[in-house]
């Protein structure tokens, strides 16, 4: 059994991604971090980078839409005896260029929902015994400001950009609140974090004002290390009280 607290970070196979930045920050704070990604060779390379920095890290293959992968991931974690932090960061935005619900590709919307919502949900279910075994487990679902388009309803004056992704992140926020309610009294805190615009996709042309992954990671990690009595079931935005100094 690993003496360090254990953290699982999904979507952590890209060097410029938020998942890897979160994993690095958690490892720097004394966690044994398990990086999860669909491409095991890339994910192992990210874990090796952390190990080269003297940090405790391992890698596991995980496609959150594949039930067999989710089960295998939970088995991989079992020797640690507990899971202190679960960061559901894996995401996809297949409808990046779509700007209206009316001409959305529903196949893309299903893909987005499968990854962003059902994938996180499945992982919580699979890891729940390990989360319960931790003294104060934290679940963090990485959300997006895209969900505000859906939350605004008729007050949103424009077509919905990336509608499948936006609806999925809106549903993820609702899932977060529902999980927190069901886990009330267990000591497990469940929150969603909107890290704001983050420069993780240079191939799409990141904006100059986008935050760096390292900066955005602080918000996610602070939610992942909240003290007892901290919020649960909340959507915490970049700069929210209790998240950033």
């Amino acid at each position: 059994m690993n003496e360090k607290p254990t953290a699982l970070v999904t979507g952590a196979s890209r060097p410029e991604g938020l998942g890897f930045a979160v994993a690095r920050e958690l490892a720097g704070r004394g966690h044994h971090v398990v990086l999860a990604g669909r491409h095991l060779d890339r994910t192992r390379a990210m874990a090796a980078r952390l190990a080269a920095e003297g940090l405790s890290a391992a890698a596991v293959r995980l496609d959150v839409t594949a039930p067999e992968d989710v089960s295998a991931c939970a088995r991989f974690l079992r020797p640690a005896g507990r899971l202190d932090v679960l960061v559901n960061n894996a995401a996809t935005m297949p409808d990046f260029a779509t700007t209206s619900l009316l001409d959305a590709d529903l196949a893309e919307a299903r893909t987005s929902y499968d990854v962003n919502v059902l994938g996180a949900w499945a992982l919580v279910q699979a890891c729940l015994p390990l989360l319960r075994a931790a003294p104060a487990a934290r679940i963090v679902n990485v959300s997006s400001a895209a969900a505000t388009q859906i939350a605004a309803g008729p007050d949103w004056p424009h077509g919905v950009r990336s509608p499948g992704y936006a609806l999925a992140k809106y549903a993820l926020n609702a899932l977060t609140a529902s999980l927190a309610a069901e886990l009330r009294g267990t000591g497990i805190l469940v929150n969603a974090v909107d890290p704001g615009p983050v420069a993780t996709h240079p191939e799409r042309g990141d904006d100059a004002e986008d935050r760096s992954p390292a900066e955005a990671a602080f918000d996610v990690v602070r939610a992942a290390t909240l003290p007892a009595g901290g919020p649960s079931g909340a959507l915490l935005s970049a700069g929210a009280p209790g998240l950033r100094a």
Side-chain angles (χ1 to χ4, degrees), residues 172-210:
L172 180 65
N173 294 344
L175 175 66
T176 299
S178 296
L179 288 171
E182 293 210 22
L183 291 169
R184 188 179 294 121
T186 66
I188 301 173
L189 302 183
V190 189
N191 290 291
V193 172
D194 167 18
V198 186
T200 58
H201 287 281
E203 74 279 5
R204 292 179 181 169
D206 292 319
D207 295 327
E209 64 272 17
D210 288 353

PDB file of all heavy atoms in Angstrom, residues 172-210:
ATOM      1  N   LEU A 172     -22.822  17.883 -16.568  1.00  0.00           N
ATOM      2  CA  LEU A 172     -21.775  17.523 -15.612  1.00  0.00           C
ATOM      3  C   LEU A 172     -21.926  18.333 -14.322  1.00  0.00           C
ATOM      4  O   LEU A 172     -21.731  17.808 -13.221  1.00  0.00           O
ATOM      5  CB  LEU A 172     -20.392  17.752 -16.220  1.00  0.00           C
ATOM      6  CG  LEU A 172     -19.197  17.408 -15.332  1.00  0.00           C
ATOM      7  CD1 LEU A 172     -19.151  15.908 -15.039  1.00  0.00           C
ATOM      8  CD2 LEU A 172     -17.889  17.853 -15.991  1.00  0.00           C
ATOM      9  N   ASN A 173     -22.279  19.605 -14.453  1.00  0.00           N
ATOM     10  CA  ASN A 173     -22.507  20.419 -13.259  1.00  0.00           C
ATOM     11  C   ASN A 173     -23.667  19.864 -12.434  1.00  0.00           C
ATOM     12  O   ASN A 173     -23.604  19.820 -11.196  1.00  0.00           O
ATOM     13  CB  ASN A 173     -22.790  21.864 -13.658  1.00  0.00           C
ATOM     14  CG  ASN A 173     -21.598  22.545 -14.302  1.00  0.00           C
ATOM     15  OD1 ASN A 173     -20.473  22.068 -14.202  1.00  0.00           O
ATOM     16  ND2 ASN A 173     -21.845  23.646 -14.983  1.00  0.00           N
ATOM     17  N   ALA A 174     -24.731  19.446 -13.123  1.00  0.00           N
ATOM     18  CA  ALA A 174     -25.874  18.860 -12.423  1.00  0.00           C
ATOM     19  C   ALA A 174     -25.495  17.541 -11.764  1.00  0.00           C
ATOM     20  O   ALA A 174     -25.910  17.248 -10.631  1.00  0.00           O
ATOM     21  CB  ALA A 174     -27.031  18.657 -13.401  1.00  0.00           C
ATOM     22  N   LEU A 175     -24.698  16.732 -12.462  1.00  0.00           N
ATOM     23  CA  LEU A 175     -24.217  15.472 -11.895  1.00  0.00           C
ATOM     24  C   LEU A 175     -23.404  15.739 -10.632  1.00  0.00           C
ATOM     25  O   LEU A 175     -23.533  15.022  -9.627  1.00  0.00           O
ATOM     26  CB  LEU A 175     -23.374  14.722 -12.927  1.00  0.00           C
ATOM     27  CG  LEU A 175     -22.692  13.439 -12.443  1.00  0.00           C
ATOM     28  CD1 LEU A 175     -23.723  12.373 -12.100  1.00  0.00           C
ATOM     29  CD2 LEU A 175     -21.715  12.922 -13.508  1.00  0.00           C
ATOM     30  N   THR A 176     -22.577  16.765 -10.678  1.00  0.00           N
ATOM     31  CA  THR A 176     -21.755  17.116  -9.519  1.00  0.00           C
ATOM     32  C   THR A 176     -22.628  17.391  -8.302  1.00  0.00           C
ATOM     33  O   THR A 176     -22.370  16.888  -7.202  1.00  0.00           O
ATOM     34  CB  THR A 176     -20.901  18.358  -9.844  1.00  0.00           C
ATOM     35  OG1 THR A 176     -20.038  18.062 -10.947  1.00  0.00           O
ATOM     36  CG2 THR A 176     -20.071  18.773  -8.646  1.00  0.00           C
ATOM     37  N   ALA A 177     -23.658  18.212  -8.481  1.00  0.00           N
ATOM     38  CA  ALA A 177     -24.550  18.547  -7.376  1.00  0.00           C
ATOM     39  C   ALA A 177     -25.272  17.312  -6.847  1.00  0.00           C
ATOM     40  O   ALA A 177     -25.430  17.140  -5.630  1.00  0.00           O
ATOM     41  CB  ALA A 177     -25.550  19.602  -7.822  1.00  0.00           C
ATOM     42  N   SER A 178     -25.694  16.437  -7.748  1.00  0.00           N
ATOM     43  CA  SER A 178     -26.426  15.233  -7.338  1.00  0.00           C
ATOM     44  C   SER A 178     -25.513  14.264  -6.596  1.00  0.00           C
ATOM     45  O   SER A 178     -25.917  13.663  -5.584  1.00  0.00           O
ATOM     46  CB  SER A 178     -27.037  14.547  -8.562  1.00  0.00           C
ATOM     47  OG  SER A 178     -28.000  15.384  -9.175  1.00  0.00           O
ATOM     48  N   LEU A 179     -24.287  14.090  -7.072  1.00  0.00           N
ATOM     49  CA  LEU A 179     -23.337  13.216  -6.377  1.00  0.00           C
ATOM     50  C   LEU A 179     -23.028  13.753  -4.982  1.00  0.00           C
ATOM     51  O   LEU A 179     -22.941  12.995  -4.011  1.00  0.00           O
ATOM     52  CB  LEU A 179     -22.044  13.092  -7.188  1.00  0.00           C
ATOM     53  CG  LEU A 179     -22.112  12.267  -8.466  1.00  0.00           C
ATOM     54  CD1 LEU A 179     -20.822  12.415  -9.259  1.00  0.00           C
ATOM     55  CD2 LEU A 179     -22.377  10.792  -8.157  1.00  0.00           C
ATOM     56  N   ALA A 180     -22.844  15.066  -4.884  1.00  0.00           N
ATOM     57  CA  ALA A 180     -22.551  15.670  -3.586  1.00  0.00           C
ATOM     58  C   ALA A 180     -23.687  15.411  -2.606  1.00  0.00           C
ATOM     59  O   ALA A 180     -23.456  15.115  -1.425  1.00  0.00           O
ATOM     60  CB  ALA A 180     -22.316  17.168  -3.746  1.00  0.00           C
ATOM     61  N   ALA A 181     -24.933  15.501  -3.096  1.00  0.00           N
ATOM     62  CA  ALA A 181     -26.081  15.258  -2.227  1.00  0.00           C
ATOM     63  C   ALA A 181     -26.103  13.810  -1.740  1.00  0.00           C
ATOM     64  O   ALA A 181     -26.367  13.532  -0.569  1.00  0.00           O
ATOM     65  CB  ALA A 181     -27.372  15.597  -2.970  1.00  0.00           C
ATOM     66  N   GLU A 182     -25.817  12.874  -2.661  1.00  0.00           N
ATOM     67  CA  GLU A 182     -25.844  11.464  -2.273  1.00  0.00           C
ATOM     68  C   GLU A 182     -24.691  11.088  -1.351  1.00  0.00           C
ATOM     69  O   GLU A 182     -24.802  10.133  -0.572  1.00  0.00           O
ATOM     70  CB  GLU A 182     -25.838  10.580  -3.518  1.00  0.00           C
ATOM     71  CG  GLU A 182     -27.103  10.703  -4.350  1.00  0.00           C
ATOM     72  CD  GLU A 182     -27.447   9.427  -5.093  1.00  0.00           C
ATOM     73  OE1 GLU A 182     -26.995   8.344  -4.689  1.00  0.00           O
ATOM     74  OE2 GLU A 182     -28.183   9.515  -6.088  1.00  0.00           O
ATOM     75  N   LEU A 183     -23.592  11.830  -1.416  1.00  0.00           N
ATOM     76  CA  LEU A 183     -22.419  11.527  -0.591  1.00  0.00           C
ATOM     77  C   LEU A 183     -22.332  12.413   0.646  1.00  0.00           C
ATOM     78  O   LEU A 183     -21.337  12.384   1.354  1.00  0.00           O
ATOM     79  CB  LEU A 183     -21.143  11.665  -1.433  1.00  0.00           C
ATOM     80  CG  LEU A 183     -20.983  10.592  -2.521  1.00  0.00           C
ATOM     81  CD1 LEU A 183     -19.852  10.951  -3.466  1.00  0.00           C
ATOM     82  CD2 LEU A 183     -20.751   9.217  -1.894  1.00  0.00           C
ATOM     83  N   ARG A 184     -23.367  13.203   0.884  1.00  0.00           N
ATOM     84  CA  ARG A 184     -23.382  14.063   2.067  1.00  0.00           C
ATOM     85  C   ARG A 184     -23.226  13.207   3.330  1.00  0.00           C
ATOM     86  O   ARG A 184     -23.866  12.166   3.474  1.00  0.00           O
ATOM     87  CB  ARG A 184     -24.685  14.859   2.123  1.00  0.00           C
ATOM     88  CG  ARG A 184     -24.719  15.918   3.218  1.00  0.00           C
ATOM     89  CD  ARG A 184     -26.021  16.674   3.192  1.00  0.00           C
ATOM     90  NE  ARG A 184     -26.170  17.459   1.973  1.00  0.00           N
ATOM     91  CZ  ARG A 184     -27.142  17.326   1.104  1.00  0.00           C
ATOM     92  NH1 ARG A 184     -28.079  16.405   1.288  1.00  0.00           N
ATOM     93  NH2 ARG A 184     -27.212  18.101   0.034  1.00  0.00           N
ATOM     94  N   GLY A 185     -22.363  13.637   4.210  1.00  0.00           N
ATOM     95  CA  GLY A 185     -22.152  12.924   5.459  1.00  0.00           C
ATOM     96  C   GLY A 185     -21.067  11.870   5.394  1.00  0.00           C
ATOM     97  O   GLY A 185     -20.723  11.274   6.421  1.00  0.00           O
ATOM     98  N   THR A 186     -20.501  11.637   4.211  1.00  0.00           N
ATOM     99  CA  THR A 186     -19.444  10.627   4.073  1.00  0.00           C
ATOM    100  C   THR A 186     -18.050  11.209   4.244  1.00  0.00           C
ATOM    101  O   THR A 186     -17.077  10.460   4.357  1.00  0.00           O
ATOM    102  CB  THR A 186     -19.511   9.948   2.696  1.00  0.00           C
ATOM    103  OG1 THR A 186     -19.191  10.924   1.679  1.00  0.00           O
ATOM    104  CG2 THR A 186     -20.890   9.367   2.434  1.00  0.00           C
ATOM    105  N   GLY A 187     -17.937  12.529   4.199  1.00  0.00           N
ATOM    106  CA  GLY A 187     -16.626  13.161   4.210  1.00  0.00           C
ATOM    107  C   GLY A 187     -16.063  13.384   2.824  1.00  0.00           C
ATOM    108  O   GLY A 187     -15.039  14.047   2.665  1.00  0.00           O
ATOM    109  N   ILE A 188     -16.723  12.833   1.800  1.00  0.00           N
ATOM    110  CA  ILE A 188     -16.292  13.016   0.414  1.00  0.00           C
ATOM    111  C   ILE A 188     -16.907  14.309  -0.116  1.00  0.00           C
ATOM    112  O   ILE A 188     -18.131  14.467  -0.088  1.00  0.00           O
ATOM    113  CB  ILE A 188     -16.705  11.834  -0.470  1.00  0.00           C
ATOM    114  CG1 ILE A 188     -16.106  10.527   0.062  1.00  0.00           C
ATOM    115  CG2 ILE A 188     -16.273  12.065  -1.918  1.00  0.00           C
ATOM    116  CD1 ILE A 188     -16.604   9.285  -0.663  1.00  0.00           C
ATOM    117  N   LEU A 189     -16.083  15.226  -0.581  1.00  0.00           N
ATOM    118  CA  LEU A 189     -16.564  16.466  -1.162  1.00  0.00           C
ATOM    119  C   LEU A 189     -16.496  16.351  -2.685  1.00  0.00           C
ATOM    120  O   LEU A 189     -15.495  15.881  -3.238  1.00  0.00           O
ATOM    121  CB  LEU A 189     -15.726  17.655  -0.696  1.00  0.00           C
ATOM    122  CG  LEU A 189     -15.649  17.887   0.817  1.00  0.00           C
ATOM    123  CD1 LEU A 189     -14.840  19.156   1.120  1.00  0.00           C
ATOM    124  CD2 LEU A 189     -17.034  17.974   1.437  1.00  0.00           C
ATOM    125  N   VAL A 190     -17.550  16.798  -3.357  1.00  0.00           N
ATOM    126  CA  VAL A 190     -17.641  16.721  -4.815  1.00  0.00           C
ATOM    127  C   VAL A 190     -17.926  18.111  -5.356  1.00  0.00           C
ATOM    128  O   VAL A 190     -18.934  18.724  -5.001  1.00  0.00           O
ATOM    129  CB  VAL A 190     -18.775  15.771  -5.268  1.00  0.00           C
ATOM    130  CG1 VAL A 190     -18.692  15.532  -6.775  1.00  0.00           C
ATOM    131  CG2 VAL A 190     -18.752  14.469  -4.498  1.00  0.00           C
ATOM    132  N   ASN A 191     -17.045  18.615  -6.191  1.00  0.00           N
ATOM    133  CA  ASN A 191     -17.239  19.940  -6.768  1.00  0.00           C
ATOM    134  C   ASN A 191     -16.848  19.941  -8.240  1.00  0.00           C
ATOM    135  O   ASN A 191     -16.063  19.106  -8.695  1.00  0.00           O
ATOM    136  CB  ASN A 191     -16.403  20.984  -6.021  1.00  0.00           C
ATOM    137  CG  ASN A 191     -16.931  21.250  -4.630  1.00  0.00           C
ATOM    138  OD1 ASN A 191     -18.004  21.821  -4.463  1.00  0.00           O
ATOM    139  ND2 ASN A 191     -16.185  20.820  -3.614  1.00  0.00           N
ATOM    140  N   ALA A 192     -17.416  20.889  -8.964  1.00  0.00           N
ATOM    141  CA  ALA A 192     -16.997  21.154 -10.335  1.00  0.00           C
ATOM    142  C   ALA A 192     -16.172  22.434 -10.333  1.00  0.00           C
ATOM    143  O   ALA A 192     -16.416  23.337  -9.533  1.00  0.00           O
ATOM    144  CB  ALA A 192     -18.204  21.304 -11.243  1.00  0.00           C
ATOM    145  N   VAL A 193     -15.207  22.505 -11.209  1.00  0.00           N
ATOM    146  CA  VAL A 193     -14.359  23.688 -11.336  1.00  0.00           C
ATOM    147  C   VAL A 193     -14.344  24.144 -12.784  1.00  0.00           C
ATOM    148  O   VAL A 193     -14.058  23.349 -13.691  1.00  0.00           O
ATOM    149  CB  VAL A 193     -12.915  23.406 -10.868  1.00  0.00           C
ATOM    150  CG1 VAL A 193     -11.997  24.578 -11.198  1.00  0.00           C
ATOM    151  CG2 VAL A 193     -12.878  23.133  -9.370  1.00  0.00           C
ATOM    152  N   ASP A 194     -14.679  25.396 -12.986  1.00  0.00           N
ATOM    153  CA  ASP A 194     -14.518  26.029 -14.298  1.00  0.00           C
ATOM    154  C   ASP A 194     -13.216  26.817 -14.240  1.00  0.00           C
ATOM    155  O   ASP A 194     -13.162  27.869 -13.608  1.00  0.00           O
ATOM    156  CB  ASP A 194     -15.694  26.951 -14.594  1.00  0.00           C
ATOM    157  CG  ASP A 194     -15.434  27.863 -15.791  1.00  0.00           C
ATOM    158  OD1 ASP A 194     -14.523  27.561 -16.587  1.00  0.00           O
ATOM    159  OD2 ASP A 194     -16.143  28.881 -15.908  1.00  0.00           O
ATOM    160  N   PRO A 195     -12.158  26.329 -14.870  1.00  0.00           N
ATOM    161  CA  PRO A 195     -10.859  27.007 -14.771  1.00  0.00           C
ATOM    162  C   PRO A 195     -10.728  28.221 -15.667  1.00  0.00           C
ATOM    163  O   PRO A 195      -9.678  28.867 -15.686  1.00  0.00           O
ATOM    164  CB  PRO A 195      -9.870  25.913 -15.180  1.00  0.00           C
ATOM    165  CG  PRO A 195     -10.649  25.082 -16.154  1.00  0.00           C
ATOM    166  CD  PRO A 195     -12.073  25.091 -15.662  1.00  0.00           C
ATOM    167  N   GLY A 196     -11.785  28.527 -16.433  1.00  0.00           N
ATOM    168  CA  GLY A 196     -11.690  29.646 -17.362  1.00  0.00           C
ATOM    169  C   GLY A 196     -10.969  29.242 -18.634  1.00  0.00           C
ATOM    170  O   GLY A 196     -10.580  28.080 -18.816  1.00  0.00           O
ATOM    171  N   PRO A 197     -10.765  30.192 -19.541  1.00  0.00           N
ATOM    172  CA  PRO A 197     -10.047  29.878 -20.789  1.00  0.00           C
ATOM    173  C   PRO A 197      -8.596  29.485 -20.500  1.00  0.00           C
ATOM    174  O   PRO A 197      -7.883  30.227 -19.813  1.00  0.00           O
ATOM    175  CB  PRO A 197     -10.112  31.191 -21.579  1.00  0.00           C
ATOM    176  CG  PRO A 197     -11.187  32.003 -20.923  1.00  0.00           C
ATOM    177  CD  PRO A 197     -11.203  31.601 -19.492  1.00  0.00           C
ATOM    178  N   VAL A 198      -8.196  28.337 -20.997  1.00  0.00           N
ATOM    179  CA  VAL A 198      -6.852  27.813 -20.732  1.00  0.00           C
ATOM    180  C   VAL A 198      -6.157  27.517 -22.055  1.00  0.00           C
ATOM    181  O   VAL A 198      -6.759  26.963 -22.979  1.00  0.00           O
ATOM    182  CB  VAL A 198      -6.914  26.536 -19.871  1.00  0.00           C
ATOM    183  CG1 VAL A 198      -5.501  26.092 -19.485  1.00  0.00           C
ATOM    184  CG2 VAL A 198      -7.761  26.758 -18.617  1.00  0.00           C
ATOM    185  N   ALA A 199      -4.905  27.883 -22.139  1.00  0.00           N
ATOM    186  CA  ALA A 199      -4.126  27.700 -23.370  1.00  0.00           C
ATOM    187  C   ALA A 199      -3.612  26.266 -23.458  1.00  0.00           C
ATOM    188  O   ALA A 199      -2.448  25.984 -23.174  1.00  0.00           O
ATOM    189  CB  ALA A 199      -2.972  28.690 -23.416  1.00  0.00           C
ATOM    190  N   THR A 200      -4.489  25.360 -23.853  1.00  0.00           N
ATOM    191  CA  THR A 200      -4.117  23.949 -23.952  1.00  0.00           C
ATOM    192  C   THR A 200      -4.149  23.416 -25.376  1.00  0.00           C
ATOM    193  O   THR A 200      -3.780  22.267 -25.609  1.00  0.00           O
ATOM    194  CB  THR A 200      -5.069  23.087 -23.100  1.00  0.00           C
ATOM    195  OG1 THR A 200      -6.413  23.299 -23.544  1.00  0.00           O
ATOM    196  CG2 THR A 200      -4.952  23.446 -21.622  1.00  0.00           C
ATOM    197  N   HIS A 201      -4.601  24.232 -26.322  1.00  0.00           N
ATOM    198  CA  HIS A 201      -4.723  23.757 -27.699  1.00  0.00           C
ATOM    199  C   HIS A 201      -4.122  24.779 -28.670  1.00  0.00           C
ATOM    200  O   HIS A 201      -4.844  25.486 -29.369  1.00  0.00           O
ATOM    201  CB  HIS A 201      -6.191  23.501 -28.052  1.00  0.00           C
ATOM    202  CG  HIS A 201      -6.755  22.278 -27.406  1.00  0.00           C
ATOM    203  ND1 HIS A 201      -6.514  21.005 -27.889  1.00  0.00           N
ATOM    204  CD2 HIS A 201      -7.517  22.122 -26.300  1.00  0.00           C
ATOM    205  CE1 HIS A 201      -7.126  20.120 -27.117  1.00  0.00           C
ATOM    206  NE2 HIS A 201      -7.731  20.780 -26.149  1.00  0.00           N
ATOM    207  N   PRO A 202      -2.797  24.836 -28.728  1.00  0.00           N
ATOM    208  CA  PRO A 202      -2.176  25.783 -29.645  1.00  0.00           C
ATOM    209  C   PRO A 202      -2.557  25.539 -31.101  1.00  0.00           C
ATOM    210  O   PRO A 202      -2.554  26.468 -31.914  1.00  0.00           O
ATOM    211  CB  PRO A 202      -0.672  25.559 -29.412  1.00  0.00           C
ATOM    212  CG  PRO A 202      -0.568  24.208 -28.767  1.00  0.00           C
ATOM    213  CD  PRO A 202      -1.810  24.057 -27.961  1.00  0.00           C
ATOM    214  N   GLU A 203      -2.936  24.292 -31.413  1.00  0.00           N
ATOM    215  CA  GLU A 203      -3.311  23.984 -32.795  1.00  0.00           C
ATOM    216  C   GLU A 203      -4.626  24.673 -33.186  1.00  0.00           C
ATOM    217  O   GLU A 203      -4.913  24.832 -34.369  1.00  0.00           O
ATOM    218  CB  GLU A 203      -3.427  22.468 -32.992  1.00  0.00           C
ATOM    219  CG  GLU A 203      -4.650  21.809 -32.389  1.00  0.00           C
ATOM    220  CD  GLU A 203      -4.524  21.529 -30.896  1.00  0.00           C
ATOM    221  OE1 GLU A 203      -3.511  21.937 -30.292  1.00  0.00           O
ATOM    222  OE2 GLU A 203      -5.448  20.899 -30.346  1.00  0.00           O
ATOM    223  N   ARG A 204      -5.416  25.088 -32.191  1.00  0.00           N
ATOM    224  CA  ARG A 204      -6.657  25.798 -32.468  1.00  0.00           C
ATOM    225  C   ARG A 204      -6.481  27.315 -32.407  1.00  0.00           C
ATOM    226  O   ARG A 204      -7.409  28.055 -32.683  1.00  0.00           O
ATOM    227  CB  ARG A 204      -7.735  25.383 -31.462  1.00  0.00           C
ATOM    228  CG  ARG A 204      -8.211  23.952 -31.598  1.00  0.00           C
ATOM    229  CD  ARG A 204      -9.267  23.656 -30.538  1.00  0.00           C
ATOM    230  NE  ARG A 204      -9.727  22.274 -30.620  1.00  0.00           N
ATOM    231  CZ  ARG A 204     -10.473  21.696 -29.686  1.00  0.00           C
ATOM    232  NH1 ARG A 204     -10.837  22.366 -28.624  1.00  0.00           N
ATOM    233  NH2 ARG A 204     -10.852  20.440 -29.828  1.00  0.00           N
ATOM    234  N   GLY A 205      -5.322  27.753 -31.977  1.00  0.00           N
ATOM    235  CA  GLY A 205      -5.078  29.182 -31.875  1.00  0.00           C
ATOM    236  C   GLY A 205      -5.553  29.746 -30.548  1.00  0.00           C
ATOM    237  O   GLY A 205      -6.577  30.420 -30.470  1.00  0.00           O
ATOM    238  N   ASP A 206      -4.827  29.432 -29.462  1.00  0.00           N
ATOM    239  CA  ASP A 206      -5.182  29.945 -28.149  1.00  0.00           C
ATOM    240  C   ASP A 206      -5.151  31.470 -28.150  1.00  0.00           C
ATOM    241  O   ASP A 206      -4.331  32.092 -28.827  1.00  0.00           O
ATOM    242  CB  ASP A 206      -4.203  29.416 -27.087  1.00  0.00           C
ATOM    243  CG  ASP A 206      -4.352  27.911 -26.871  1.00  0.00           C
ATOM    244  OD1 ASP A 206      -5.498  27.439 -26.849  1.00  0.00           O
ATOM    245  OD2 ASP A 206      -3.323  27.235 -26.705  1.00  0.00           O
ATOM    246  N   ASP A 207      -6.038  32.080 -27.369  1.00  0.00           N
ATOM    247  CA  ASP A 207      -6.071  33.532 -27.254  1.00  0.00           C
ATOM    248  C   ASP A 207      -4.987  34.018 -26.298  1.00  0.00           C
ATOM    249  O   ASP A 207      -4.605  33.310 -25.361  1.00  0.00           O
ATOM    250  CB  ASP A 207      -7.439  34.004 -26.754  1.00  0.00           C
ATOM    251  CG  ASP A 207      -8.548  33.704 -27.752  1.00  0.00           C
ATOM    252  OD1 ASP A 207      -8.256  33.746 -28.966  1.00  0.00           O
ATOM    253  OD2 ASP A 207      -9.681  33.433 -27.319  1.00  0.00           O
ATOM    254  N   ALA A 208      -4.543  35.234 -26.517  1.00  0.00           N
ATOM    255  CA  ALA A 208      -3.456  35.790 -25.715  1.00  0.00           C
ATOM    256  C   ALA A 208      -3.811  35.868 -24.236  1.00  0.00           C
ATOM    257  O   ALA A 208      -2.949  35.754 -23.365  1.00  0.00           O
ATOM    258  CB  ALA A 208      -3.076  37.174 -26.241  1.00  0.00           C
ATOM    259  N   GLU A 209      -5.110  36.071 -23.933  1.00  0.00           N
ATOM    260  CA  GLU A 209      -5.520  36.224 -22.543  1.00  0.00           C
ATOM    261  C   GLU A 209      -5.807  34.894 -21.838  1.00  0.00           C
ATOM    262  O   GLU A 209      -6.126  34.868 -20.645  1.00  0.00           O
ATOM    263  CB  GLU A 209      -6.762  37.116 -22.441  1.00  0.00           C
ATOM    264  CG  GLU A 209      -8.013  36.566 -23.087  1.00  0.00           C
ATOM    265  CD  GLU A 209      -8.137  36.939 -24.556  1.00  0.00           C
ATOM    266  OE1 GLU A 209      -7.117  37.344 -25.177  1.00  0.00           O
ATOM    267  OE2 GLU A 209      -9.258  36.831 -25.091  1.00  0.00           O
ATOM    268  N   ASP A 210      -5.698  33.780 -22.558  1.00  0.00           N
ATOM    269  CA  ASP A 210      -5.936  32.478 -21.943  1.00  0.00           C
ATOM    270  C   ASP A 210      -4.919  32.218 -20.834  1.00  0.00           C
ATOM    271  O   ASP A 210      -3.737  32.568 -20.951  1.00  0.00           O
ATOM    272  CB  ASP A 210      -5.844  31.362 -22.986  1.00  0.00           C
ATOM    273  CG  ASP A 210      -7.033  31.356 -23.933  1.00  0.00           C
ATOM    274  OD1 ASP A 210      -7.980  32.129 -23.700  1.00  0.00           O
ATOM    275  OD2 ASP A 210      -6.993  30.577 -24.906  1.00  0.00           O
TER     276      ASP A 210
END
